């Protein structure tokens, strides 16, 4: 069974609409929707925002269902200036930018695990699915929706480092701080590296896709629930349709 996780309901509403639900489980203020989608057995859940919320949700998911892999999808703020709103990041490594137990451990190192970054493995099929989605991009959106969110160019896929922390990043100073800590950062969000840590500890394969919703700077003024619902959710549906079919 594949676990599909997002932080906000809006990010996954399109998927939930397509899910043939067979069972729901309510635990710890979360609802786990079990069922089939594109002929695959899956469990869908909204984790809510932040590392604790995401880690608690994914731990429950792993312990309540026979989960073979987890795919996290959602929105993120750009750190690397080559990224535009609407671009997609496929995570190859996840780092918690706000963990710092120095001088006991080097900053960024997860205490007692002895590692700083969680690598994703076997992302080839998800990458192919994302490329296929991008080729048929115009099929999923009308031009006006995209223009409303300043998406003017055809979006692109970048693979690389995603950083996570318990903070909504919205200043160029904070971006610079993150770049100093993790120069290879592509984007920033609030859950990915926490989910990656739980999956690492439980030895469950983990992959993550993030759609750039803002530039994490002082003038990020977009309507998040609307972007998540009208744009990010459809990306997730389109990509996972190709991945799961
Ligand atoms: N404050 C906004 C929404 C914040 S978005 C509102 O009022 O609706 C927070 C969610 O999106 C988190 O789940 C996080 O993972 C992701 N995210 C998007 N852009 C982000 C940014 N610039 N910094 C941190 N997290 C971001």
């Amino acid at each position: 069974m594949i676990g599909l996780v997002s932080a906000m309901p809006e990010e996954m509403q399109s998927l939930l609409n397509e899910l043939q639900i067979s069972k729901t489980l309510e635990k710890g203020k979360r609802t786990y929707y079990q069922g089939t989608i594109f002929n695959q057995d899956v469990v869908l859940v909204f984790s809510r925002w932040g590392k604790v919320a995401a880690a608690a949700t994914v731990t429950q998911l792993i312990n309540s269902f026979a989960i073979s892999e987890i795919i996290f999808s959602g929105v993120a703020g750009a750190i690397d200036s080559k990224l535009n709103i609407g671009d997609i990041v496929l995570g190859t490594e996840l780092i918690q930018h706000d963990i710092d137990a120095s001088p006991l451990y080097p900053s960024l190192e997860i205490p007692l695990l002895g590692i700083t970054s969680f690598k994703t493995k076997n992302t080839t099929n998800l990458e192919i699915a994302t490329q296929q989605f991008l080729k048929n991009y115009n099929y999923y959106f009308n031009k006006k929706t995209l223009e409303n969110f300043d998406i003017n160019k055809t979006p692109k896929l970048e693979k690389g480092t995603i950083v996570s922390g318990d903070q909504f990043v919205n200043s160029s100073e904070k971006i610079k701080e993150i770049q100093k800590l993790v120069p290879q950062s592509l984007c920033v969000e609030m859950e990915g590296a926490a989910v990656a840590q739980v999956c690492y500890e439980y030895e469950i394969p983990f992959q993550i896709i993030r759609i750039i919703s803002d530039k994490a700077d002082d003038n990020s003024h977009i309507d998040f629930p609307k972007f998540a619902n009208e744009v990010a959710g459809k990306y997730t549906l389109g990509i996972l349709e190709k991945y799961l079919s």
Side-chain angles (χ1 to χ4, degrees):
M1 199 143 16
I2 302 175
L4 303 175
V5 188
S6 286
M8 306 195 243
E10 295 88 350
E11 291 169 331
M12 242 195 202
Q13 194 55 51
S14 308
L15 269 184
L16 194 54
N17 294 344
E18 298 293 320
L19 182 71
Q20 315 263 293
I21 300 174
S22 57
K23 194 176 127 190
T24 60
L25 171 72
E26 307 269 348
K27 281 263 176 179
K29 297 191 166 41
R30 308 288 186 276
T31 307
Y32 298 79
Y33 301 91
Q34 186 179 346
T36 53
I37 190 167
F38 310 125
N39 292 321
Q40 297 277 350
D41 293 331
V42 300
V43 183
L44 247 70
V45 61
F46 315 126
S47 68
R48 304 186 177 193
W49 301 355
K51 293 191 299 173
V52 175
T57 306
V58 166
T59 305
Q60 182 74 54
L61 176 66
I62 292 169
N63 284 318
S64 300
F65 301 91
I67 297 295
S68 54
E69 69 172 292
I70 286 177
I71 301 177
F72 195 104
S73 65
V75 295
I79 295 288
D80 191 313
S81 57
K82 73 182 167 205
L83 287 168
N84 295 309
I85 291 173
D87 286 346
I88 303 174
V89 174
L90 179 60
T92 57
E93 68 166 351
L94 285 294
I95 294 174
Q96 296 175 22
H97 70 77
D98 58 354
I99 192 147
D100 184 359
S102 60
L104 305 175
Y105 294 95
S107 64
L108 298 182
E109 184 173 310
I110 310 291
L112 305 179
L113 268 190
I115 57 174
T116 298
S117 85
F118 300 96
K119 313 262 192 265
T120 57
K121 291 184 199 124
N122 304 325
T123 55
T124 313
N125 289 342
L126 194 56
E127 186 180 348
I128 292 169
T130 307
Q131 295 290 14
Q132 283 173 346
F133 164 77
L134 285 175
K135 252 193 227 155
N136 299 302
Y137 185 73
N138 291 323
Y139 167 82
Y140 292 90
F141 300 101
N142 68 46
K143 223 168 156 230
K144 188 126 197 322
T145 307
L146 299 175
E147 280 168 5
N148 284 345
F149 292 107
D150 287 339
I151 304 176
N152 305 311
K153 289 188 224 144
T154 303
K156 58 182 179 297
L157 167 67
E158 294 288 341
K159 290 193 300 173
T161 304
I162 298 175
V163 295
S164 315
D166 284 319
Q167 216 166 16
F168 182 72
V169 175
N170 64 343
S171 74
S172 37
E173 287 76 47
K174 187 67 201 175
I175 292 179
K176 281 192 200 114
E177 256 175 57
I178 291 177
Q179 282 175 322
K180 217 167 150 195
L181 283 168
V182 187
Q184 74 276 29
S185 301
L186 289 181
C187 65
V188 61
E189 36 85 311
M190 302 175 69
E191 299 85 15
V195 177
Q197 180 175 343
V198 174
C199 289
Y200 174 86
E201 291 176 338
Y202 279 87
E203 298 178 8
I204 302 281
F206 166 71
Q207 300 183 84
I208 178 164
I209 286 181
R210 286 285 184 179
I211 296 124
I212 301 301
S213 58
D214 58 270
K215 300 233 170 150
D217 58 9
D218 330 62
N219 47 15
S220 68
H221 55 269
I222 74 152
D223 181 340
F224 270 87
K226 211 161 169 229
F227 181 88
N229 205 351
E230 291 181 20
V231 183
K234 289 201 180 138
Y235 271 61
T236 309
L237 180 67
I239 294 167
L240 290 180
E241 180 178 0
K242 309 263 184 247
Y243 180 75
L244 298 173
S245 301

PDB file of all heavy atoms in Angstrom, residues 167-196:
ATOM      1  N   GLN A 167       9.010  27.048  10.272  1.00  0.00           N
ATOM      2  CA  GLN A 167       9.002  28.483  10.025  1.00  0.00           C
ATOM      3  C   GLN A 167       8.498  28.738   8.614  1.00  0.00           C
ATOM      4  O   GLN A 167       8.935  28.054   7.685  1.00  0.00           O
ATOM      5  CB  GLN A 167      10.446  28.953  10.069  1.00  0.00           C
ATOM      6  CG  GLN A 167      10.649  30.283  10.661  1.00  0.00           C
ATOM      7  CD  GLN A 167      12.131  30.485  10.955  1.00  0.00           C
ATOM      8  OE1 GLN A 167      12.995  29.752  10.447  1.00  0.00           O
ATOM      9  NE2 GLN A 167      12.428  31.460  11.743  1.00  0.00           N
ATOM     10  N   PHE A 168       7.593  29.686   8.462  1.00  0.00           N
ATOM     11  CA  PHE A 168       7.216  30.126   7.114  1.00  0.00           C
ATOM     12  C   PHE A 168       8.231  31.186   6.700  1.00  0.00           C
ATOM     13  O   PHE A 168       8.341  32.225   7.349  1.00  0.00           O
ATOM     14  CB  PHE A 168       5.791  30.694   7.107  1.00  0.00           C
ATOM     15  CG  PHE A 168       5.350  31.119   5.747  1.00  0.00           C
ATOM     16  CD1 PHE A 168       5.047  30.174   4.772  1.00  0.00           C
ATOM     17  CD2 PHE A 168       5.249  32.464   5.422  1.00  0.00           C
ATOM     18  CE1 PHE A 168       4.649  30.567   3.499  1.00  0.00           C
ATOM     19  CE2 PHE A 168       4.848  32.862   4.157  1.00  0.00           C
ATOM     20  CZ  PHE A 168       4.552  31.912   3.189  1.00  0.00           C
ATOM     21  N   VAL A 169       8.988  30.920   5.685  1.00  0.00           N
ATOM     22  CA  VAL A 169      10.085  31.814   5.300  1.00  0.00           C
ATOM     23  C   VAL A 169       9.560  32.897   4.366  1.00  0.00           C
ATOM     24  O   VAL A 169       9.009  32.593   3.304  1.00  0.00           O
ATOM     25  CB  VAL A 169      11.222  31.014   4.627  1.00  0.00           C
ATOM     26  CG1 VAL A 169      12.301  31.944   4.111  1.00  0.00           C
ATOM     27  CG2 VAL A 169      11.801  30.006   5.619  1.00  0.00           C
ATOM     28  N   ASN A 170       9.693  34.149   4.786  1.00  0.00           N
ATOM     29  CA  ASN A 170       9.206  35.234   3.934  1.00  0.00           C
ATOM     30  C   ASN A 170      10.074  36.491   4.042  1.00  0.00           C
ATOM     31  O   ASN A 170       9.575  37.597   4.153  1.00  0.00           O
ATOM     32  CB  ASN A 170       7.727  35.563   4.227  1.00  0.00           C
ATOM     33  CG  ASN A 170       7.525  36.099   5.626  1.00  0.00           C
ATOM     34  OD1 ASN A 170       8.389  35.939   6.482  1.00  0.00           O
ATOM     35  ND2 ASN A 170       6.405  36.736   5.866  1.00  0.00           N
ATOM     36  N   SER A 171      11.394  36.298   4.022  1.00  0.00           N
ATOM     37  CA  SER A 171      12.274  37.455   3.939  1.00  0.00           C
ATOM     38  C   SER A 171      13.578  37.058   3.253  1.00  0.00           C
ATOM     39  O   SER A 171      14.018  35.904   3.353  1.00  0.00           O
ATOM     40  CB  SER A 171      12.594  38.005   5.330  1.00  0.00           C
ATOM     41  OG  SER A 171      13.506  37.167   5.996  1.00  0.00           O
ATOM     42  N   SER A 172      14.171  38.028   2.566  1.00  0.00           N
ATOM     43  CA  SER A 172      15.425  37.716   1.864  1.00  0.00           C
ATOM     44  C   SER A 172      16.557  37.464   2.861  1.00  0.00           C
ATOM     45  O   SER A 172      17.485  36.704   2.574  1.00  0.00           O
ATOM     46  CB  SER A 172      15.785  38.813   0.871  1.00  0.00           C
ATOM     47  OG  SER A 172      15.445  40.052   1.389  1.00  0.00           O
ATOM     48  N   GLU A 173      16.465  38.051   4.068  1.00  0.00           N
ATOM     49  CA  GLU A 173      17.495  37.777   5.095  1.00  0.00           C
ATOM     50  C   GLU A 173      17.473  36.294   5.470  1.00  0.00           C
ATOM     51  O   GLU A 173      18.510  35.651   5.585  1.00  0.00           O
ATOM     52  CB  GLU A 173      17.258  38.592   6.374  1.00  0.00           C
ATOM     53  CG  GLU A 173      17.552  40.063   6.286  1.00  0.00           C
ATOM     54  CD  GLU A 173      16.468  40.816   5.537  1.00  0.00           C
ATOM     55  OE1 GLU A 173      15.280  40.588   5.840  1.00  0.00           O
ATOM     56  OE2 GLU A 173      16.806  41.612   4.628  1.00  0.00           O
ATOM     57  N   LYS A 174      16.258  35.788   5.695  1.00  0.00           N
ATOM     58  CA  LYS A 174      16.131  34.377   6.101  1.00  0.00           C
ATOM     59  C   LYS A 174      16.597  33.458   4.959  1.00  0.00           C
ATOM     60  O   LYS A 174      17.251  32.436   5.210  1.00  0.00           O
ATOM     61  CB  LYS A 174      14.663  34.092   6.479  1.00  0.00           C
ATOM     62  CG  LYS A 174      14.437  32.734   7.078  1.00  0.00           C
ATOM     63  CD  LYS A 174      15.086  32.547   8.451  1.00  0.00           C
ATOM     64  CE  LYS A 174      15.256  31.074   8.754  1.00  0.00           C
ATOM     65  NZ  LYS A 174      15.966  30.813  10.002  1.00  0.00           N
ATOM     66  N   ILE A 175      16.304  33.849   3.719  1.00  0.00           N
ATOM     67  CA  ILE A 175      16.776  33.049   2.574  1.00  0.00           C
ATOM     68  C   ILE A 175      18.301  32.987   2.606  1.00  0.00           C
ATOM     69  O   ILE A 175      18.896  31.916   2.451  1.00  0.00           O
ATOM     70  CB  ILE A 175      16.291  33.646   1.228  1.00  0.00           C
ATOM     71  CG1 ILE A 175      14.775  33.498   1.103  1.00  0.00           C
ATOM     72  CG2 ILE A 175      16.983  32.980   0.038  1.00  0.00           C
ATOM     73  CD1 ILE A 175      14.195  34.061  -0.169  1.00  0.00           C
ATOM     74  N   LYS A 176      18.929  34.144   2.829  1.00  0.00           N
ATOM     75  CA  LYS A 176      20.408  34.180   2.860  1.00  0.00           C
ATOM     76  C   LYS A 176      20.952  33.301   3.983  1.00  0.00           C
ATOM     77  O   LYS A 176      21.959  32.607   3.813  1.00  0.00           O
ATOM     78  CB  LYS A 176      20.892  35.625   3.028  1.00  0.00           C
ATOM     79  CG  LYS A 176      20.834  36.380   1.719  1.00  0.00           C
ATOM     80  CD  LYS A 176      21.578  37.717   1.788  1.00  0.00           C
ATOM     81  CE  LYS A 176      21.094  38.628   0.671  1.00  0.00           C
ATOM     82  NZ  LYS A 176      20.383  39.831   1.181  1.00  0.00           N
ATOM     83  N   GLU A 177      20.302  33.341   5.131  1.00  0.00           N
ATOM     84  CA  GLU A 177      20.725  32.495   6.271  1.00  0.00           C
ATOM     85  C   GLU A 177      20.677  31.017   5.879  1.00  0.00           C
ATOM     86  O   GLU A 177      21.610  30.258   6.173  1.00  0.00           O
ATOM     87  CB  GLU A 177      19.732  32.669   7.433  1.00  0.00           C
ATOM     88  CG  GLU A 177      20.212  33.516   8.577  1.00  0.00           C
ATOM     89  CD  GLU A 177      19.068  33.705   9.586  1.00  0.00           C
ATOM     90  OE1 GLU A 177      18.532  32.693  10.093  1.00  0.00           O
ATOM     91  OE2 GLU A 177      18.701  34.879   9.841  1.00  0.00           O
ATOM     92  N   ILE A 178      19.589  30.634   5.236  1.00  0.00           N
ATOM     93  CA  ILE A 178      19.442  29.229   4.821  1.00  0.00           C
ATOM     94  C   ILE A 178      20.503  28.874   3.788  1.00  0.00           C
ATOM     95  O   ILE A 178      21.111  27.802   3.847  1.00  0.00           O
ATOM     96  CB  ILE A 178      18.005  28.964   4.288  1.00  0.00           C
ATOM     97  CG1 ILE A 178      17.001  29.037   5.441  1.00  0.00           C
ATOM     98  CG2 ILE A 178      17.918  27.610   3.576  1.00  0.00           C
ATOM     99  CD1 ILE A 178      15.547  28.875   5.055  1.00  0.00           C
ATOM    100  N   GLN A 179      20.767  29.791   2.860  1.00  0.00           N
ATOM    101  CA  GLN A 179      21.776  29.523   1.819  1.00  0.00           C
ATOM    102  C   GLN A 179      23.165  29.367   2.411  1.00  0.00           C
ATOM    103  O   GLN A 179      23.986  28.617   1.903  1.00  0.00           O
ATOM    104  CB  GLN A 179      21.768  30.640   0.781  1.00  0.00           C
ATOM    105  CG  GLN A 179      20.610  30.497  -0.193  1.00  0.00           C
ATOM    106  CD  GLN A 179      20.504  31.652  -1.148  1.00  0.00           C
ATOM    107  OE1 GLN A 179      20.729  32.802  -0.758  1.00  0.00           O
ATOM    108  NE2 GLN A 179      20.158  31.366  -2.389  1.00  0.00           N
ATOM    109  N   LYS A 180      23.402  30.112   3.509  1.00  0.00           N
ATOM    110  CA  LYS A 180      24.695  30.002   4.174  1.00  0.00           C
ATOM    111  C   LYS A 180      24.851  28.617   4.812  1.00  0.00           C
ATOM    112  O   LYS A 180      25.905  27.987   4.732  1.00  0.00           O
ATOM    113  CB  LYS A 180      24.790  31.092   5.259  1.00  0.00           C
ATOM    114  CG  LYS A 180      26.175  31.679   5.377  1.00  0.00           C
ATOM    115  CD  LYS A 180      26.133  32.937   6.213  1.00  0.00           C
ATOM    116  CE  LYS A 180      27.455  33.097   6.937  1.00  0.00           C
ATOM    117  NZ  LYS A 180      27.341  34.087   8.013  1.00  0.00           N
ATOM    118  N   LEU A 181      23.761  28.148   5.423  1.00  0.00           N
ATOM    119  CA  LEU A 181      23.773  26.826   6.076  1.00  0.00           C
ATOM    120  C   LEU A 181      23.798  25.686   5.061  1.00  0.00           C
ATOM    121  O   LEU A 181      24.534  24.718   5.213  1.00  0.00           O
ATOM    122  CB  LEU A 181      22.512  26.658   6.937  1.00  0.00           C
ATOM    123  CG  LEU A 181      22.440  27.358   8.276  1.00  0.00           C
ATOM    124  CD1 LEU A 181      21.017  27.296   8.811  1.00  0.00           C
ATOM    125  CD2 LEU A 181      23.406  26.711   9.266  1.00  0.00           C
ATOM    126  N   VAL A 182      22.953  25.817   4.042  1.00  0.00           N
ATOM    127  CA  VAL A 182      22.799  24.749   3.034  1.00  0.00           C
ATOM    128  C   VAL A 182      22.845  25.389   1.643  1.00  0.00           C
ATOM    129  O   VAL A 182      21.811  25.697   1.060  1.00  0.00           O
ATOM    130  CB  VAL A 182      21.456  23.987   3.225  1.00  0.00           C
ATOM    131  CG1 VAL A 182      21.379  22.783   2.292  1.00  0.00           C
ATOM    132  CG2 VAL A 182      21.238  23.560   4.669  1.00  0.00           C
ATOM    133  N   PRO A 183      24.070  25.605   1.111  1.00  0.00           N
ATOM    134  CA  PRO A 183      24.190  26.347  -0.154  1.00  0.00           C
ATOM    135  C   PRO A 183      23.437  25.709  -1.324  1.00  0.00           C
ATOM    136  O   PRO A 183      23.024  26.405  -2.236  1.00  0.00           O
ATOM    137  CB  PRO A 183      25.702  26.341  -0.421  1.00  0.00           C
ATOM    138  CG  PRO A 183      26.335  26.040   0.887  1.00  0.00           C
ATOM    139  CD  PRO A 183      25.366  25.223   1.678  1.00  0.00           C
ATOM    140  N   GLN A 184      23.253  24.395  -1.283  1.00  0.00           N
ATOM    141  CA  GLN A 184      22.618  23.721  -2.424  1.00  0.00           C
ATOM    142  C   GLN A 184      21.085  23.702  -2.333  1.00  0.00           C
ATOM    143  O   GLN A 184      20.421  23.061  -3.157  1.00  0.00           O
ATOM    144  CB  GLN A 184      23.160  22.288  -2.563  1.00  0.00           C
ATOM    145  CG  GLN A 184      22.678  21.274  -1.534  1.00  0.00           C
ATOM    146  CD  GLN A 184      23.476  21.276  -0.229  1.00  0.00           C
ATOM    147  OE1 GLN A 184      24.035  22.297   0.187  1.00  0.00           O
ATOM    148  NE2 GLN A 184      23.508  20.137   0.450  1.00  0.00           N
ATOM    149  N   SER A 185      20.493  24.412  -1.343  1.00  0.00           N
ATOM    150  CA  SER A 185      19.027  24.397  -1.172  1.00  0.00           C
ATOM    151  C   SER A 185      18.305  24.863  -2.426  1.00  0.00           C
ATOM    152  O   SER A 185      18.607  25.931  -2.952  1.00  0.00           O
ATOM    153  CB  SER A 185      18.587  25.374  -0.076  1.00  0.00           C
ATOM    154  OG  SER A 185      19.170  25.073   1.133  1.00  0.00           O
ATOM    155  N   LEU A 186      17.325  24.107  -2.856  1.00  0.00           N
ATOM    156  CA  LEU A 186      16.465  24.562  -3.957  1.00  0.00           C
ATOM    157  C   LEU A 186      15.229  25.259  -3.404  1.00  0.00           C
ATOM    158  O   LEU A 186      14.837  26.306  -3.890  1.00  0.00           O
ATOM    159  CB  LEU A 186      16.030  23.376  -4.829  1.00  0.00           C
ATOM    160  CG  LEU A 186      17.081  22.708  -5.706  1.00  0.00           C
ATOM    161  CD1 LEU A 186      16.443  21.570  -6.500  1.00  0.00           C
ATOM    162  CD2 LEU A 186      17.695  23.723  -6.663  1.00  0.00           C
ATOM    163  N   CYS A 187      14.598  24.658  -2.393  1.00  0.00           N
ATOM    164  CA  CYS A 187      13.363  25.255  -1.869  1.00  0.00           C
ATOM    165  C   CYS A 187      13.201  24.926  -0.386  1.00  0.00           C
ATOM    166  O   CYS A 187      13.887  24.052   0.146  1.00  0.00           O
ATOM    167  CB  CYS A 187      12.153  24.790  -2.676  1.00  0.00           C
ATOM    168  SG  CYS A 187      11.800  23.036  -2.563  1.00  0.00           S
ATOM    169  N   VAL A 188      12.264  25.670   0.242  1.00  0.00           N
ATOM    170  CA  VAL A 188      12.056  25.516   1.686  1.00  0.00           C
ATOM    171  C   VAL A 188      10.580  25.239   1.968  1.00  0.00           C
ATOM    172  O   VAL A 188       9.700  25.807   1.326  1.00  0.00           O
ATOM    173  CB  VAL A 188      12.542  26.769   2.458  1.00  0.00           C
ATOM    174  CG1 VAL A 188      11.787  28.033   2.031  1.00  0.00           C
ATOM    175  CG2 VAL A 188      12.429  26.584   3.963  1.00  0.00           C
ATOM    176  N   GLU A 189      10.351  24.347   2.918  1.00  0.00           N
ATOM    177  CA  GLU A 189       8.980  24.043   3.346  1.00  0.00           C
ATOM    178  C   GLU A 189       9.026  23.623   4.815  1.00  0.00           C
ATOM    179  O   GLU A 189      10.032  23.869   5.482  1.00  0.00           O
ATOM    180  CB  GLU A 189       8.340  23.004   2.413  1.00  0.00           C
ATOM    181  CG  GLU A 189       9.263  21.924   1.885  1.00  0.00           C
ATOM    182  CD  GLU A 189       9.412  20.767   2.836  1.00  0.00           C
ATOM    183  OE1 GLU A 189       9.666  21.000   4.034  1.00  0.00           O
ATOM    184  OE2 GLU A 189       9.331  19.613   2.402  1.00  0.00           O
ATOM    185  N   MET A 190       7.964  22.998   5.324  1.00  0.00           N
ATOM    186  CA  MET A 190       7.872  22.802   6.767  1.00  0.00           C
ATOM    187  C   MET A 190       7.663  21.349   7.212  1.00  0.00           C
ATOM    188  O   MET A 190       7.409  21.108   8.387  1.00  0.00           O
ATOM    189  CB  MET A 190       6.735  23.681   7.336  1.00  0.00           C
ATOM    190  CG  MET A 190       6.919  25.158   7.048  1.00  0.00           C
ATOM    191  SD  MET A 190       5.536  26.194   7.575  1.00  0.00           S
ATOM    192  CE  MET A 190       5.671  26.067   9.341  1.00  0.00           C
ATOM    193  N   GLU A 191       7.768  20.382   6.299  1.00  0.00           N
ATOM    194  CA  GLU A 191       7.471  18.987   6.685  1.00  0.00           C
ATOM    195  C   GLU A 191       8.450  17.940   6.143  1.00  0.00           C
ATOM    196  O   GLU A 191       8.704  16.923   6.807  1.00  0.00           O
ATOM    197  CB  GLU A 191       6.056  18.576   6.205  1.00  0.00           C
ATOM    198  CG  GLU A 191       4.914  19.400   6.768  1.00  0.00           C
ATOM    199  CD  GLU A 191       4.644  20.664   5.983  1.00  0.00           C
ATOM    200  OE1 GLU A 191       5.138  20.766   4.839  1.00  0.00           O
ATOM    201  OE2 GLU A 191       3.971  21.568   6.504  1.00  0.00           O
ATOM    202  N   GLY A 192       8.928  18.142   4.930  1.00  0.00           N
ATOM    203  CA  GLY A 192       9.610  17.078   4.184  1.00  0.00           C
ATOM    204  C   GLY A 192      10.695  16.343   4.945  1.00  0.00           C
ATOM    205  O   GLY A 192      10.714  15.100   4.988  1.00  0.00           O
ATOM    206  N   ALA A 193      11.612  17.072   5.573  1.00  0.00           N
ATOM    207  CA  ALA A 193      12.750  16.409   6.221  1.00  0.00           C
ATOM    208  C   ALA A 193      12.323  15.667   7.490  1.00  0.00           C
ATOM    209  O   ALA A 193      13.004  14.735   7.933  1.00  0.00           O
ATOM    210  CB  ALA A 193      13.849  17.423   6.537  1.00  0.00           C
ATOM    211  N   ALA A 194      11.175  16.067   8.067  1.00  0.00           N
ATOM    212  CA  ALA A 194      10.657  15.329   9.223  1.00  0.00           C
ATOM    213  C   ALA A 194      10.099  13.989   8.768  1.00  0.00           C
ATOM    214  O   ALA A 194      10.363  12.944   9.372  1.00  0.00           O
ATOM    215  CB  ALA A 194       9.575  16.158   9.926  1.00  0.00           C
ATOM    216  N   VAL A 195       9.354  14.006   7.669  1.00  0.00           N
ATOM    217  CA  VAL A 195       8.817  12.759   7.114  1.00  0.00           C
ATOM    218  C   VAL A 195       9.976  11.860   6.669  1.00  0.00           C
ATOM    219  O   VAL A 195       9.968  10.649   6.899  1.00  0.00           O
ATOM    220  CB  VAL A 195       7.868  13.069   5.931  1.00  0.00           C
ATOM    221  CG1 VAL A 195       7.355  11.785   5.295  1.00  0.00           C
ATOM    222  CG2 VAL A 195       6.693  13.926   6.402  1.00  0.00           C
ATOM    223  N   ALA A 196      10.977  12.476   6.077  1.00  0.00           N
ATOM    224  CA  ALA A 196      12.149  11.712   5.616  1.00  0.00           C
ATOM    225  C   ALA A 196      12.842  11.020   6.791  1.00  0.00           C
ATOM    226  O   ALA A 196      13.294   9.877   6.674  1.00  0.00           O
ATOM    227  CB  ALA A 196      13.124  12.643   4.897  1.00  0.00           C
TER     228      ALA A 196
END
